[in-house]
């Protein structure tokens, strides 16, 4: 018995980890760019740095009140300005945004409030802090100016920490008055988590928010009448964050077509279409913009929201968001999607062509994979990784995994494509697992009365039909697979084996054709019923009282009955080619063909060997002593006929007359053969041989019959009539008739004392040829002298 394949090790979900790391890296880079380019991105506060003895500021540092208020510790606020508690609005992201709260500033420092500087007017030494802006900000409202004498390098580092969360040694300790007690290994991680929480607070509290985002379109929900427009959802945000994180918002707010400055007291409003945006998807998209991750809160999202977030990422040109939500769909929601990120060649190497050995097959994946496939193939999505992963998953889920309304809802084209995928996997290696999966699916569908079950049943039946065909076309290889050998070794001892054998035998019956029926019969007998026991050569694997043996025996007899009605069709389609003699004998006896085709019994009797004790073909026995051929000597390979039997030989292109002279085996060749003597006239065409080789009755240096001892063909009118009725085998219950036990034609006319070679009436040459017994389609009544 072949060893069972080892389970495939699941790979870790590295794709999601890589995507999250890329999202965090982009987020940090964008915040650093925001700090370095704060003057160009709607600042609302600027610090003028003075040095001792200078009356005019030497440098300017630009920033944003919301960032400072949300992030700065009390020590920072006490040094540079003191805030009274800013009015905080409702944290709900869906309510209308109020005007930005303006803090009253209690100055311990000198302060002045003025309008933003004109384009081109900048501090003469501002380049010492960050690059000069080519144009001043167009932020509506008032710009808060503060003056301080702190060292510029130290102040700049403190402010950069507020924007990026990066620590700068002495500046960090000065900012917090004392070194922060933290584990060195988790220090950076903790700082990033705090930065995320502070930015979420700034967003949800609408602290100094200066832009509103609303959705346009028909927004539907389960609680409203389908198709009725809902109240427009409005989200408050900050322009300096939006332009730093999204190319789309940068173009909308800073480009040539930026909206005009709104009237005092009115925030700027941007409108996004729905779809692709929905209130839920915009919430998670804005959360990602602020925090660089989709896991910014305890709130979760479903698969439909994830699809909308992917579309939103495409609309906003945010590649890192697209990659992260794609990875979360694959890893978190579909449990790897059968290694969606793995190339096809690597996946084939991982599974070694075996179906069903990898991937998650839970009910959640079965219901989600069809939706992923349908979404990934949309014209505006066309996601290759999700498409390949979903197809791979649904092919692997064939069976129970297809018995869902979601699979039935797939377009017909998608279902046909998945069916072709299963058919490509239907090879001898996978025949039995696929057959069991199909049967379980059909059993489950029998209890479903919903209309979608009919759709699934048709697809499963089509896949099972292909399994039936492969099982019977490759019957030898299939019954050597570990799944079947384990059933035989258990000999029906396991509870589920009886049902599995029933499924397999039913599949055999459904897959029978004219070309494979005889070989299937031979394999059932040799590879199952007579399979020798590995420890006892005189015993078989299946005991005499085995339930599996009884099931296989019933199938064997059903094949005989099947062939009884189709014998001629099997013969004409070449179904007896490469068939062992013993199998042909058993089939002909069981189908009562010998009684209906005169002369066939002689061919079968002399060419058939005994049933083999194992699947291997019978080994021919060597003759006891060499010598000239004789009529069936002891221990010979076959029978030599002194008087040839007139017969008809069939080929794919023609039929021709011959005389059977030898029936049996050939030394060095497998199976049974018939040696015939053929009269060859001038009009004989070489194409009739179809690659066969002429001979003089010898093969491999051994003589099996002599040319020149045959019979002359009888051309009487009655004989031609009878041969016409019997040509090609007998398809009806009809026998060649005699008149009162007397032949219609005189025997003295049919049997002549000389062969076609030496006959005075013969003007043709005779040659020898070896053919298979199944090529002899008609045998004329004759008697032999052996």
């Amino acid at each position: 018995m072949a060893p069972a394949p080892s389970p495939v090790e699941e790979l870790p979900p590295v794709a999601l980890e890589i995507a999250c790391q890329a999202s965090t890296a982009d987020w940090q880079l964008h915040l650093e760019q925001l700090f370095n380019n704060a003057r160009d991105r709607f600042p609302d506060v600027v610090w003028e740095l003075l040095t001792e003895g200078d009356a005019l500021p030497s440098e300017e540092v630009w920033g944003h009140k919301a960032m400072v208020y949300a992030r700065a510790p009390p020590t920072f606020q006490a040094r540079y300005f003191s805030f009274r508690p800013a009015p905080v609005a409702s944290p709900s992201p869906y309510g209308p945004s109020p005007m930005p709260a303006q803090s009253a500033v209690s100055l311990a420092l000198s302060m002045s409030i003025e309008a933003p500087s004109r384009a081109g007017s900048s501090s003469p030494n501002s380049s010492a802090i960050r690059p000069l802006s080519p144009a001043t900000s167009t932020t509506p409202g008032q710009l808060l100016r503060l003056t301080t004498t702190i060292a510029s390098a130290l102040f700049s580092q403190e402010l950069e920490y507020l924007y990026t969360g990066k620590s700068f040694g002495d500046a960090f300790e000065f900012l917090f008055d004392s070194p922060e007690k933290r584990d060195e290994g988790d220090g950076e991680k903790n700082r990033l988590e705090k930065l995320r929480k502070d930015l979420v607070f700034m967003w949800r509290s609408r602290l100094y928010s200066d832009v509103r985002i609303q959705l346009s379109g028909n927004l539907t929900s389960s609680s409203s009448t389908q198709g009725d427009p809902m109240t427009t959802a409005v989200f408050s945000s900050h322009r300096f964050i939006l332009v730093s994180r999204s190319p789309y918002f940068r173009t909308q707010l800073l480009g040539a077509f930026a909206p005009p400055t709104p009237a005092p007291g009115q925030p700027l409003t941007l409108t996004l279409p729905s779809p692709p945006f929905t209130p839920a998807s915009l919430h998670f998209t804005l959360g990602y913009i602020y925090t660089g991750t989709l896991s910014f809160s305890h709130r979760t999202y479903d698969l439909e929201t994830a699809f909308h977030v992917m579309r939103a990422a495409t609309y906003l040109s945010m590649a890192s968001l697209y990659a992260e939500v794609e990875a979360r769909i694959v890893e978190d929601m579909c449990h790897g999607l059968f290694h969606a990120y793995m190339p096809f060649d690597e996946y084939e190497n991982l599974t070694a062509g075996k179906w069903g050995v990898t991937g998650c097959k839970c009910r959640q994946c079965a219901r989600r994979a069809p939706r992923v496939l349908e979404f990934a193939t949309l014209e505006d999505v066309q996601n290759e990784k999700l498409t390949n992963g979903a197809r791979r998953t649904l092919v692997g889920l064939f069976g129970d995994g297809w018995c869902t309304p979601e699979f039935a809802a797939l377009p017909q084209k998608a279902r046909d494509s998945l069916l072709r995928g299963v058919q490509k996997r239907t090879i001898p290696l996978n025949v039995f697992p696929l057959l069991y999966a199909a049967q379980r699916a059909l059993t489950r569908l029998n209890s479903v009365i919903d209309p979608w079950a009919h759709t699934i049943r048709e697809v499963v039946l089509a896949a099972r039909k292909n399994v039936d065909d492969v099982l019977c076309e490759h019957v030898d290889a299939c019954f050597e697979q570990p799944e079947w050998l384990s059933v035989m070794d258990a000999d029906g001892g396991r509870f589920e084996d009886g049902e599995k054998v029933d499924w397999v035998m039913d599949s055999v019956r459904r897959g029978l054709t004219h070309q494979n029926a005889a070989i299937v019969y031979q394999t059932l007998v040799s590879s199952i019923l007579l399979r020798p026991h590995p420890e006892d050569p005189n015993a078989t694997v299946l005991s005499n009282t085995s339930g599996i043996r009884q099931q296989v025996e019933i199938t064997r007899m059903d094949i005989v009955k099947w062939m009884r009605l189709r014998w001629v069709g099997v013969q004409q389609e070449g179904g007896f080619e490469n068939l062992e003699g013993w199998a042909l004998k058993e089939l002909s006896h069981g189908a009562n063909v010998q009684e209906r085709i005169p002369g066939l019994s002689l061919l079968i009797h002399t060419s058939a060997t005994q049933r083999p004790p194992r699947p291997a073909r019978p080994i021919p026995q060597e003759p006891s002593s060499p010598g000239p051929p004789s009529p069936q000597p002891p221990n010979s390979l076959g029978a030599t006929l002194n008087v040839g039997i007139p017969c008809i030989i069939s080929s794919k292109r023609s039929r021709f007359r011959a005389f059977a002279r030898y029936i049996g085996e050939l030394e060095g060749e497998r199976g049974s053969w018939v040696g015939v003597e053929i009269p060859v006239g001038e009009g004989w065409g070489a194409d009739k041989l179809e690659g066969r080789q002429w001979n003089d009755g010898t093969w491999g240096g051994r003589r099996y019959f002599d040319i020149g001892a045959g019979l002359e063909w009888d051309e009487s009118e009655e004989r031609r009539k009878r041969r016409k009725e019997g040509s090609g085998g007998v398809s009806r219950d009809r026998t060649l008739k005699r008149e009162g036990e007397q032949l219609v034609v005189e025997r003295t006319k049919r049997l002549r004392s000389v062969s076609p070679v030496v006959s005075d009436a013969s003007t043709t040459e005779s040659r020898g040829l070896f053919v298979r017994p199944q090529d002899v389609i008609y045998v004329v009544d004759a008697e032999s002298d052996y």
Side-chain angles (χ1 to χ4, degrees):
M1 172 179 172
S6 58
V8 177
E9 297 182 359
E10 295 293 335
L11 300 180
V14 295
L16 178 57
E17 181 180 353
I18 294 174
C20 291
Q21 291 174 354
S23 292
T24 300
D26 283 350
W27 173 64
Q28 290 179 292
L29 176 63
H30 293 160
L31 291 178
E32 185 175 353
Q33 292 173 347
L34 170 62
F35 168 74
N36 292 329
N37 299 278
R39 182 175 180 176
D40 303 328
R41 300 184 179 180
F42 311 105
D44 53 8
V45 61
V46 57
W47 286 268
E48 297 177 345
L49 305 183
L50 297 174
T51 58
E52 295 182 2
D54 293 336
L56 297 177
S58 59
E59 297 180 3
E60 292 180 345
V61 178
W62 299 77
H64 303 89
K65 298 175 185 176
M67 184 70 77
V68 175
Y69 182 83
R71 292 276 294 148
T75 54
F76 185 93
Q77 298 184 31
R79 286 189 179 97
Y80 305 119
F81 47 86
S82 298
F83 282 96
R84 288 204 304 259
V88 178
S90 170
S92 172
Y94 302 108
S97 174
M99 283 298 298
Q102 176 65 48
S103 299
V105 182
S106 174
L107 296 177
L109 310 170
S110 61
M111 178 190 72
S112 64
I113 299 178
E114 61 183 43
S117 59
R118 298 174 181 242
S121 63
S122 60
S123 175
N125 297 321
S126 60
S127 60
I129 304 299
R130 62 185 60 82
L132 292 175
S133 171
T136 58
S137 173
T138 59
T139 306
Q142 295 177 327
L143 177 66
L144 177 64
R145 284 188 172 273
L146 301 173
T147 304
T148 181
T149 58
I150 189 174
S152 61
L154 182 60
F155 181 77
S156 178
Q157 291 178 0
E158 291 178 5
L159 193 62
E160 185 174 0
Y161 170 80
L162 300 182
Y163 277 81
T164 64
K166 294 181 180 179
S167 174
F168 295 96
D170 293 339
F172 184 85
E173 295 180 7
F174 178 79
L175 185 65
F176 289 94
D177 289 331
S178 62
E180 185 181 21
K181 296 181 180 180
R182 62 188 183 277
D183 182 76
E184 291 297 332
D186 295 336
E188 182 179 0
K189 181 178 178 181
N190 291 336
R191 289 196 301 271
L192 292 180
E193 288 301 318
K194 184 179 186 305
L195 177 59
R196 286 191 169 107
K197 291 179 180 179
D198 291 342
L199 293 182
V200 168
F201 165 76
M202 181 181 75
W203 167 48
R204 289 183 172 176
S205 65
R206 294 174 288 170
L207 184 65
Y208 295 105
S209 64
D210 56 358
V211 65
R212 295 192 303 178
I213 303 175
Q214 66 180 13
L215 302 181
S216 65
N218 290 333
L219 308 178
T220 59
S221 68
S222 58
S223 60
S224 64
T225 303
Q226 187 172 3
D228 292 341
M230 295 175 58
T231 303
T232 301
V234 179
F235 294 80
S236 297
S237 186
H238 302 82
R239 288 183 294 176
F240 68 89
I241 291 290
L242 298 180
V243 299
S244 300
R245 295 283 286 139
S246 167
Y248 170 82
F249 286 123
R250 187 178 306 120
T251 302
Q252 292 294 313
L253 296 173
L254 292 178
F257 300 98
T261 302
Q266 295 295 328
L268 182 65
T269 300
L270 298 178
T271 302
L272 295 176
S274 177
F277 292 92
T278 64
S281 68
L282 183 55
H283 169 79
F284 283 98
T285 301
L286 288 175
Y288 177 88
I289 287 176
Y290 277 83
T291 64
T293 180
L294 287 170
S295 302
F296 58 87
S297 71
H298 297 293
R299 181 179 176 184
T300 60
Y301 51 91
D302 57 13
L303 186 61
E304 190 68 22
T305 301
F307 292 159
H308 287 295
V309 171
M310 282 192 71
R311 283 176 152 175
T314 302
Y315 191 90
L316 299 177
S317 302
M318 299 181 64
S320 57
L321 172 58
Y322 188 93
E324 179 171 338
V325 70
E326 175 190 79
R328 291 190 181 277
I329 290 174
V330 171
E331 303 293 351
D332 286 348
M333 297 184 172
C334 296
H335 304 159
L337 209 61
F338 276 57
H339 307 289
Y341 290 100
M342 185 176 292
F344 177 79
D345 293 339
E346 295 183 14
Y347 181 78
E348 287 297 304
N349 292 334
L350 176 68
T351 61
K354 186 70 174 176
W355 175 86
V357 295
T358 183
C360 177
K361 297 184 179 181
C362 68
R363 294 299 300 169
Q364 177 176 291
C365 289
R367 298 183 73 92
R368 288 180 172 178
R371 297 171 59 194
V372 172
L373 177 61
E374 188 173 8
F375 167 76
T377 54
L378 291 175
E379 185 176 355
D380 63 331
V381 180
Q382 295 296 314
N383 186 290
E384 183 179 0
K385 292 184 178 63
L386 291 183
T387 299
N388 293 340
R391 290 185 189 277
R392 196 178 289 170
T393 299
L394 289 173
V395 170
L397 290 174
F398 170 73
D400 283 344
W402 286 19
C403 300
T404 63
E406 290 80 3
F407 186 90
L410 285 173
Q412 180 66 41
K413 183 178 179 180
R415 294 198 301 269
D416 292 342
S417 175
L418 295 173
L419 178 60
R420 290 193 296 271
V422 173
Q423 291 173 346
K424 290 180 180 179
R425 289 286 179 183
T426 308
I427 57 177
L429 181 66
N430 299 322
V431 157
F432 294 110
L434 288 173
L435 177 62
Y436 301 156
Q439 291 296 145
R440 294 189 185 100
L442 293 174
T443 302
R444 181 172 183 174
L445 291 172
N446 289 336
S447 60
V448 179
I449 60 175
D450 297 324
W452 59 263
H454 178 70
T455 302
I456 303 300
R457 186 177 291 104
E458 290 182 350
V459 183
V460 174
L461 288 175
R464 192 186 67 173
K465 177 62 171 64
N466 188 66
V467 174
D468 299 339
D469 295 341
V470 172
L471 174 59
C472 289
E473 291 297 331
H474 305 277
V475 62
D476 290 335
C478 290
F479 282 114
E480 295 295 330
Q481 296 304 315
E483 290 84 1
W484 177 256
L485 296 181
S486 65
V487 172
M488 291 190 61
D489 290 342
D491 199 5
R494 296 178 298 192
F495 177 77
E496 71 278 4
D497 284 352
E499 184 180 42
K500 289 183 177 180
V501 174
D502 278 338
W503 291 344
V504 173
M505 294 299 107
D506 289 341
S507 178
V508 168
R509 295 184 185 97
R510 292 190 301 266
L512 292 177
T513 64
H514 291 86
Q515 293 85 0
N516 62 39
I519 296 297
V520 169
Y521 176 92
Q522 177 177 286
T523 303
L524 290 183
V525 175
S526 60
S527 297
I528 301 179
L529 297 177
L530 298 182
R531 189 179 189 89
H533 196 280
E535 298 179 358
D536 185 0
N538 297 323
T540 58
V541 173
L542 299 178
S543 62
N544 293 333
T545 59
S546 169
I548 298 178
R549 176 179 291 277
Q550 296 177 6
Q551 292 170 291
V552 177
E553 281 285 358
I554 293 174
T555 305
R556 183 185 70 84
M557 296 306 300
D558 289 342
I559 296 176
V560 173
K561 296 177 183 178
W562 186 92
M563 295 191 64
R564 181 182 303 167
L565 303 175
R566 301 170 178 84
W567 184 274
V568 174
V570 171
Q571 191 175 31
Q572 291 177 343
E573 295 292 335
F576 297 121
E577 294 180 1
N578 301 321
L579 191 66
E580 302 285 358
W582 62 265
L584 179 61
K585 178 180 179 181
E586 290 187 6
L587 285 171
S588 61
H589 177 75
N592 297 325
V593 179
Q594 299 180 35
E595 300 177 1
R596 296 184 288 157
I597 304 181
L600 183 62
S601 58
L602 177 60
L603 291 176
I604 294 175
H605 173 74
T606 54
S607 64
T609 58
Q610 295 183 353
R611 272 189 178 185
R614 55 178 301 161
R617 300 182 183 273
I619 302 177
Q621 299 179 352
E622 295 292 339
S624 57
S625 60
S630 59
Q632 203 171 1
N635 299 324
S636 66
L637 297 177
T640 300
L641 308 178
N642 291 333
V643 178
I645 302 176
C647 59
I648 300 290
I649 305 300
S650 172
S651 67
K652 294 182 179 179
R653 297 185 179 180
S654 64
R655 298 177 181 178
F656 49 89
R657 298 174 298 179
F659 298 91
R661 298 296 314 283
Y662 172 81
I663 305 173
E665 298 180 357
L666 299 179
E667 186 175 2
E669 300 293 335
R670 292 184 176 182
S672 301
W673 296 84
V674 178
V676 297
E677 182 178 346
I678 303 173
V680 180
E682 295 180 358
W684 180 271
D687 58 337
K688 297 182 179 181
L689 292 178
E690 294 184 345
R692 299 184 179 99
Q693 298 181 6
W694 289 119
N695 58 72
D696 59 352
T698 62
W699 186 266
R702 180 187 179 102
R703 178 168 293 279
Y704 293 90
F705 65 91
D706 293 320
I707 297 292
L711 295 175
E712 185 168 331
W713 192 272
D714 177 29
E715 289 295 343
S716 67
E717 184 67 24
E718 183 67 19
R719 170 61 61 188
R720 285 195 297 269
K721 180 179 178 181
R722 291 168 56 191
R723 184 167 68 250
K724 182 177 180 181
E725 293 177 352
S727 178
V730 178
S731 60
R732 302 172 298 276
D733 246 350
R734 180 183 303 171
T735 59
L736 298 177
K737 298 183 179 180
R738 303 170 183 261
E739 296 180 2
E741 298 298 329
Q742 298 295 325
L743 297 179
V744 176
V745 184
E746 294 180 331
R747 179 172 298 277
T748 57
K749 182 177 181 179
R750 291 196 296 112
L751 302 181
R752 308 183 71 170
S753 60
V754 293
S755 72
V757 178
V758 298
S759 172
D760 295 338
S762 176
T763 60
T764 61
E765 175 187 0
S766 291
R767 298 181 184 178
L769 191 68
F770 287 102
V771 298
R772 291 291 188 179
Q774 55 265 27
D775 294 333
V776 183
I777 65 171
Y778 176 78
V779 180
V780 181
D781 290 343
E783 295 181 2
S784 61
D785 296 339
Y786 71 97

